[in-house]
Amino acid sequence: MSVNAIFKKLALVALALLHFSCATREPGDPITPEYNVYSKEQDIELGREAAAEIRKQVDIVQNEELQRYVRDLGARLAGQPQAGDYPYEFTLINEDSSNAFALPGGPIFLHSGLLDHADNEGQLVGVLAHEISHVVLRHGTSQASRAQMVQLPAVIAGAVLGQQGSVLAQAGQIGLGLGVNTLIMKYSRSAEKEADAQGAHIMAGAGFNPIEMATFFQKLEAQGGARPPALLSSHPGPGNRVRLV
Ligand code: ZN
């Protein structure tokens, strides 16, 4: 088979997978990761590389007690079966806004503003559980996969050919421009709903009341006014999502 023929075949397989992943989920069905060209191992590698880049650029809170507090809370959630088997890492950074983000494979960054705005531990836990859910549902690379559908055959070919170097570097070599920004771009509304629902399960499993997640998102929405806090601008539709939790 010629290289072109292989590419065509891979593209067809990819389209079939994409179509399959668009099937609607019935209520009560477990939430499973969607279409993704990356392996779980690549998620972890990508996240590690991106986290190293981010650590150079952000102001990490230099208070070991606070970092340990966040780490311990995160570990309680990460120990739940619904959190999957990922090497989670929780880092508190100096940012006044109420925001947080997760990278593929486990690194999660929390803005220190969350500590000011949360009324109780449960609300902070709600954000952590939500971010853990983005990791286990692999929303970052799933979204990147969809965005790169056109170039998918090149991605697979790159993997098949066993290109050397990091995953980020490989993606760069084949012109995908897959960078840190791609991995933390705004998620779709359905991805956010999934993260809420999965996060609620994780919270409950760890002995927290999932309603606190909904309460916190409601509170942020109420505070939003004309200029919503960052969490809302990067996490759409809080009005809708509250009902799901
Ligand atoms: Zn989210």
Side-chain angles (χ1 to χ4, degrees), residues 99-102 127 130-131 134 139 187-188 191-193 195-196 217 231 234-236 241:
N99 210 346
F101 58 92
V127 174
H130 176 96
E131 296 303 327
H134 279 312
H139 286 148
Y187 294 125
S188 68
E192 293 304 339
K193 283 183 179 175
D196 285 346
F217 286 141
L231 186 69
S234 61
H235 291 80
R241 36 211 300 256

PDB file of all heavy atoms in Angstrom, residues 99-102 127 130-131 134 139 187-188 191-193 195-196 217 231 234-236 241, ligand 1:
ATOM      1  N   ASN A  99      -9.966  31.057  39.494  1.00  0.00           N
ATOM      2  CA  ASN A  99      -9.820  30.203  38.328  1.00  0.00           C
ATOM      3  C   ASN A  99      -8.940  29.007  38.664  1.00  0.00           C
ATOM      4  O   ASN A  99      -8.254  28.983  39.690  1.00  0.00           O
ATOM      5  CB  ASN A  99      -9.227  30.987  37.165  1.00  0.00           C
ATOM      6  CG  ASN A  99      -9.691  30.463  35.817  1.00  0.00           C
ATOM      7  OD1 ASN A  99     -10.247  29.358  35.738  1.00  0.00           O
ATOM      8  ND2 ASN A  99      -9.481  31.229  34.778  1.00  0.00           N
ATOM      9  N   ALA A 100      -8.978  28.051  37.785  1.00  0.00           N
ATOM     10  CA  ALA A 100      -8.158  26.851  37.914  1.00  0.00           C
ATOM     11  C   ALA A 100      -8.073  26.227  36.540  1.00  0.00           C
ATOM     12  O   ALA A 100      -8.931  26.468  35.701  1.00  0.00           O
ATOM     13  CB  ALA A 100      -8.809  25.873  38.882  1.00  0.00           C
ATOM     14  N   PHE A 101      -7.032  25.473  36.296  1.00  0.00           N
ATOM     15  CA  PHE A 101      -6.983  24.747  35.030  1.00  0.00           C
ATOM     16  C   PHE A 101      -6.214  23.444  35.191  1.00  0.00           C
ATOM     17  O   PHE A 101      -5.359  23.310  36.069  1.00  0.00           O
ATOM     18  CB  PHE A 101      -6.402  25.605  33.897  1.00  0.00           C
ATOM     19  CG  PHE A 101      -5.015  26.117  34.151  1.00  0.00           C
ATOM     20  CD1 PHE A 101      -3.896  25.403  33.725  1.00  0.00           C
ATOM     21  CD2 PHE A 101      -4.826  27.322  34.807  1.00  0.00           C
ATOM     22  CE1 PHE A 101      -2.625  25.885  33.938  1.00  0.00           C
ATOM     23  CE2 PHE A 101      -3.545  27.815  35.041  1.00  0.00           C
ATOM     24  CZ  PHE A 101      -2.446  27.098  34.606  1.00  0.00           C
ATOM     25  N   ALA A 102      -6.574  22.510  34.338  1.00  0.00           N
ATOM     26  CA  ALA A 102      -5.952  21.191  34.374  1.00  0.00           C
ATOM     27  C   ALA A 102      -5.247  20.951  33.059  1.00  0.00           C
ATOM     28  O   ALA A 102      -5.726  21.349  32.004  1.00  0.00           O
ATOM     29  CB  ALA A 102      -7.016  20.128  34.584  1.00  0.00           C
ATOM     30  N   VAL A 127     -14.082  22.667  42.940  1.00  0.00           N
ATOM     31  CA  VAL A 127     -13.250  23.104  41.804  1.00  0.00           C
ATOM     32  C   VAL A 127     -12.201  22.042  41.491  1.00  0.00           C
ATOM     33  O   VAL A 127     -11.971  21.692  40.332  1.00  0.00           O
ATOM     34  CB  VAL A 127     -12.569  24.466  42.108  1.00  0.00           C
ATOM     35  CG1 VAL A 127     -11.607  24.851  41.001  1.00  0.00           C
ATOM     36  CG2 VAL A 127     -13.630  25.553  42.301  1.00  0.00           C
ATOM     37  N   HIS A 130     -13.789  19.114  39.790  1.00  0.00           N
ATOM     38  CA  HIS A 130     -14.140  19.485  38.415  1.00  0.00           C
ATOM     39  C   HIS A 130     -12.893  19.400  37.518  1.00  0.00           C
ATOM     40  O   HIS A 130     -12.944  18.838  36.416  1.00  0.00           O
ATOM     41  CB  HIS A 130     -14.724  20.905  38.436  1.00  0.00           C
ATOM     42  CG  HIS A 130     -15.047  21.462  37.087  1.00  0.00           C
ATOM     43  ND1 HIS A 130     -16.318  21.409  36.543  1.00  0.00           N
ATOM     44  CD2 HIS A 130     -14.270  22.092  36.170  1.00  0.00           C
ATOM     45  CE1 HIS A 130     -16.298  21.983  35.349  1.00  0.00           C
ATOM     46  NE2 HIS A 130     -15.068  22.409  35.092  1.00  0.00           N
ATOM     47  N   GLU A 131     -11.788  19.910  37.999  1.00  0.00           N
ATOM     48  CA  GLU A 131     -10.558  19.889  37.193  1.00  0.00           C
ATOM     49  C   GLU A 131     -10.021  18.465  37.025  1.00  0.00           C
ATOM     50  O   GLU A 131      -9.542  18.091  35.947  1.00  0.00           O
ATOM     51  CB  GLU A 131      -9.481  20.799  37.817  1.00  0.00           C
ATOM     52  CG  GLU A 131      -9.855  22.280  37.843  1.00  0.00           C
ATOM     53  CD  GLU A 131     -10.172  22.850  36.467  1.00  0.00           C
ATOM     54  OE1 GLU A 131      -9.567  22.397  35.482  1.00  0.00           O
ATOM     55  OE2 GLU A 131     -11.041  23.738  36.378  1.00  0.00           O
ATOM     56  N   HIS A 134     -11.740  16.883  34.207  1.00  0.00           N
ATOM     57  CA  HIS A 134     -11.230  17.234  32.875  1.00  0.00           C
ATOM     58  C   HIS A 134     -10.041  16.326  32.517  1.00  0.00           C
ATOM     59  O   HIS A 134      -9.873  15.946  31.364  1.00  0.00           O
ATOM     60  CB  HIS A 134     -10.751  18.691  32.842  1.00  0.00           C
ATOM     61  CG  HIS A 134     -11.865  19.700  32.675  1.00  0.00           C
ATOM     62  ND1 HIS A 134     -12.845  19.584  31.715  1.00  0.00           N
ATOM     63  CD2 HIS A 134     -12.128  20.857  33.335  1.00  0.00           C
ATOM     64  CE1 HIS A 134     -13.669  20.621  31.791  1.00  0.00           C
ATOM     65  NE2 HIS A 134     -13.259  21.410  32.777  1.00  0.00           N
ATOM     66  N   HIS A 139     -10.325  15.771  28.337  1.00  0.00           N
ATOM     67  CA  HIS A 139     -10.911  16.825  27.509  1.00  0.00           C
ATOM     68  C   HIS A 139      -9.866  17.629  26.735  1.00  0.00           C
ATOM     69  O   HIS A 139     -10.134  18.060  25.613  1.00  0.00           O
ATOM     70  CB  HIS A 139     -11.750  17.771  28.385  1.00  0.00           C
ATOM     71  CG  HIS A 139     -13.048  17.161  28.812  1.00  0.00           C
ATOM     72  ND1 HIS A 139     -13.650  17.448  30.022  1.00  0.00           N
ATOM     73  CD2 HIS A 139     -13.846  16.256  28.207  1.00  0.00           C
ATOM     74  CE1 HIS A 139     -14.770  16.757  30.124  1.00  0.00           C
ATOM     75  NE2 HIS A 139     -14.908  16.025  29.042  1.00  0.00           N
ATOM     76  N   TYR A 187     -13.078  24.854  27.049  1.00  0.00           N
ATOM     77  CA  TYR A 187     -13.722  23.593  26.715  1.00  0.00           C
ATOM     78  C   TYR A 187     -15.142  23.841  26.217  1.00  0.00           C
ATOM     79  O   TYR A 187     -15.729  24.888  26.480  1.00  0.00           O
ATOM     80  CB  TYR A 187     -13.796  22.691  27.946  1.00  0.00           C
ATOM     81  CG  TYR A 187     -12.463  22.230  28.457  1.00  0.00           C
ATOM     82  CD1 TYR A 187     -12.103  22.452  29.769  1.00  0.00           C
ATOM     83  CD2 TYR A 187     -11.566  21.565  27.630  1.00  0.00           C
ATOM     84  CE1 TYR A 187     -10.880  22.030  30.258  1.00  0.00           C
ATOM     85  CE2 TYR A 187     -10.340  21.145  28.109  1.00  0.00           C
ATOM     86  CZ  TYR A 187     -10.005  21.378  29.421  1.00  0.00           C
ATOM     87  OH  TYR A 187      -8.798  20.953  29.894  1.00  0.00           O
ATOM     88  N   SER A 188     -15.686  22.838  25.546  1.00  0.00           N
ATOM     89  CA  SER A 188     -17.055  22.940  25.066  1.00  0.00           C
ATOM     90  C   SER A 188     -18.013  22.874  26.258  1.00  0.00           C
ATOM     91  O   SER A 188     -17.658  22.411  27.343  1.00  0.00           O
ATOM     92  CB  SER A 188     -17.362  21.778  24.121  1.00  0.00           C
ATOM     93  OG  SER A 188     -17.370  20.568  24.857  1.00  0.00           O
ATOM     94  N   ALA A 191     -18.363  19.409  27.506  1.00  0.00           N
ATOM     95  CA  ALA A 191     -17.220  18.967  28.316  1.00  0.00           C
ATOM     96  C   ALA A 191     -17.362  19.503  29.740  1.00  0.00           C
ATOM     97  O   ALA A 191     -17.069  18.795  30.716  1.00  0.00           O
ATOM     98  CB  ALA A 191     -15.912  19.436  27.690  1.00  0.00           C
ATOM     99  N   GLU A 192     -17.817  20.740  29.866  1.00  0.00           N
ATOM    100  CA  GLU A 192     -17.989  21.323  31.207  1.00  0.00           C
ATOM    101  C   GLU A 192     -19.063  20.580  31.998  1.00  0.00           C
ATOM    102  O   GLU A 192     -18.915  20.326  33.190  1.00  0.00           O
ATOM    103  CB  GLU A 192     -18.339  22.808  31.106  1.00  0.00           C
ATOM    104  CG  GLU A 192     -17.226  23.678  30.554  1.00  0.00           C
ATOM    105  CD  GLU A 192     -15.927  23.574  31.337  1.00  0.00           C
ATOM    106  OE1 GLU A 192     -15.965  23.158  32.509  1.00  0.00           O
ATOM    107  OE2 GLU A 192     -14.873  23.880  30.774  1.00  0.00           O
ATOM    108  N   LYS A 193     -20.147  20.238  31.308  1.00  0.00           N
ATOM    109  CA  LYS A 193     -21.218  19.496  31.990  1.00  0.00           C
ATOM    110  C   LYS A 193     -20.713  18.137  32.461  1.00  0.00           C
ATOM    111  O   LYS A 193     -21.037  17.675  33.546  1.00  0.00           O
ATOM    112  CB  LYS A 193     -22.403  19.292  31.035  1.00  0.00           C
ATOM    113  CG  LYS A 193     -23.259  20.528  30.858  1.00  0.00           C
ATOM    114  CD  LYS A 193     -24.438  20.175  29.959  1.00  0.00           C
ATOM    115  CE  LYS A 193     -25.342  21.378  29.755  1.00  0.00           C
ATOM    116  NZ  LYS A 193     -26.408  21.075  28.790  1.00  0.00           N
ATOM    117  N   ALA A 195     -17.645  17.399  33.195  1.00  0.00           N
ATOM    118  CA  ALA A 195     -16.723  17.591  34.318  1.00  0.00           C
ATOM    119  C   ALA A 195     -17.499  17.872  35.610  1.00  0.00           C
ATOM    120  O   ALA A 195     -17.091  17.447  36.697  1.00  0.00           O
ATOM    121  CB  ALA A 195     -15.748  18.721  34.018  1.00  0.00           C
ATOM    122  N   ASP A 196     -18.616  18.572  35.495  1.00  0.00           N
ATOM    123  CA  ASP A 196     -19.461  18.809  36.674  1.00  0.00           C
ATOM    124  C   ASP A 196     -20.024  17.496  37.212  1.00  0.00           C
ATOM    125  O   ASP A 196     -19.987  17.229  38.412  1.00  0.00           O
ATOM    126  CB  ASP A 196     -20.638  19.731  36.318  1.00  0.00           C
ATOM    127  CG  ASP A 196     -20.218  21.180  36.159  1.00  0.00           C
ATOM    128  OD1 ASP A 196     -19.094  21.522  36.566  1.00  0.00           O
ATOM    129  OD2 ASP A 196     -21.029  21.966  35.630  1.00  0.00           O
ATOM    130  N   PHE A 217     -20.269  27.682  42.018  1.00  0.00           N
ATOM    131  CA  PHE A 217     -20.401  28.202  40.653  1.00  0.00           C
ATOM    132  C   PHE A 217     -21.535  29.229  40.586  1.00  0.00           C
ATOM    133  O   PHE A 217     -21.439  30.229  39.882  1.00  0.00           O
ATOM    134  CB  PHE A 217     -20.628  27.056  39.656  1.00  0.00           C
ATOM    135  CG  PHE A 217     -19.382  26.254  39.385  1.00  0.00           C
ATOM    136  CD1 PHE A 217     -19.434  24.871  39.234  1.00  0.00           C
ATOM    137  CD2 PHE A 217     -18.142  26.876  39.254  1.00  0.00           C
ATOM    138  CE1 PHE A 217     -18.288  24.126  38.978  1.00  0.00           C
ATOM    139  CE2 PHE A 217     -16.987  26.133  38.998  1.00  0.00           C
ATOM    140  CZ  PHE A 217     -17.061  24.759  38.864  1.00  0.00           C
ATOM    141  N   LEU A 231     -13.136  32.314  35.998  1.00  0.00           N
ATOM    142  CA  LEU A 231     -13.630  30.940  35.991  1.00  0.00           C
ATOM    143  C   LEU A 231     -14.849  30.828  35.082  1.00  0.00           C
ATOM    144  O   LEU A 231     -15.016  29.869  34.358  1.00  0.00           O
ATOM    145  CB  LEU A 231     -13.998  30.487  37.408  1.00  0.00           C
ATOM    146  CG  LEU A 231     -14.387  29.015  37.525  1.00  0.00           C
ATOM    147  CD1 LEU A 231     -13.177  28.133  37.305  1.00  0.00           C
ATOM    148  CD2 LEU A 231     -15.004  28.711  38.872  1.00  0.00           C
ATOM    149  N   SER A 234     -13.950  31.174  31.336  1.00  0.00           N
ATOM    150  CA  SER A 234     -13.353  29.986  30.727  1.00  0.00           C
ATOM    151  C   SER A 234     -14.200  28.742  30.979  1.00  0.00           C
ATOM    152  O   SER A 234     -13.900  27.680  30.488  1.00  0.00           O
ATOM    153  CB  SER A 234     -11.931  29.765  31.245  1.00  0.00           C
ATOM    154  OG  SER A 234     -11.938  29.562  32.625  1.00  0.00           O
ATOM    155  N   HIS A 235     -15.242  28.896  31.755  1.00  0.00           N
ATOM    156  CA  HIS A 235     -16.156  27.786  32.014  1.00  0.00           C
ATOM    157  C   HIS A 235     -17.578  28.263  31.737  1.00  0.00           C
ATOM    158  O   HIS A 235     -18.195  28.859  32.601  1.00  0.00           O
ATOM    159  CB  HIS A 235     -16.041  27.314  33.463  1.00  0.00           C
ATOM    160  CG  HIS A 235     -14.744  26.640  33.736  1.00  0.00           C
ATOM    161  ND1 HIS A 235     -13.597  27.333  33.967  1.00  0.00           N
ATOM    162  CD2 HIS A 235     -14.421  25.324  33.782  1.00  0.00           C
ATOM    163  CE1 HIS A 235     -12.610  26.477  34.168  1.00  0.00           C
ATOM    164  NE2 HIS A 235     -13.073  25.258  34.050  1.00  0.00           N
ATOM    165  N   PRO A 236     -18.097  27.996  30.553  1.00  0.00           N
ATOM    166  CA  PRO A 236     -19.346  28.611  30.116  1.00  0.00           C
ATOM    167  C   PRO A 236     -20.596  28.084  30.826  1.00  0.00           C
ATOM    168  O   PRO A 236     -20.598  26.992  31.364  1.00  0.00           O
ATOM    169  CB  PRO A 236     -19.399  28.230  28.643  1.00  0.00           C
ATOM    170  CG  PRO A 236     -18.614  26.972  28.551  1.00  0.00           C
ATOM    171  CD  PRO A 236     -17.538  27.081  29.582  1.00  0.00           C
ATOM    172  N   ARG A 241     -25.367  24.643  34.218  1.00  0.00           N
ATOM    173  CA  ARG A 241     -24.655  23.493  34.744  1.00  0.00           C
ATOM    174  C   ARG A 241     -25.050  23.158  36.163  1.00  0.00           C
ATOM    175  O   ARG A 241     -24.950  22.022  36.578  1.00  0.00           O
ATOM    176  CB  ARG A 241     -23.159  23.700  34.649  1.00  0.00           C
ATOM    177  CG  ARG A 241     -22.703  25.082  34.868  1.00  0.00           C
ATOM    178  CD  ARG A 241     -21.455  25.321  34.046  1.00  0.00           C
ATOM    179  NE  ARG A 241     -20.435  24.415  34.433  1.00  0.00           N
ATOM    180  CZ  ARG A 241     -19.401  24.751  35.169  1.00  0.00           C
ATOM    181  NH1 ARG A 241     -19.269  25.971  35.588  1.00  0.00           N
ATOM    182  NH2 ARG A 241     -18.523  23.873  35.487  1.00  0.00           N
TER     183      ARG A 241
HETATM  184 ZN    ZN B   1     -14.046  23.207  33.429  1.00  0.00          ZN
END
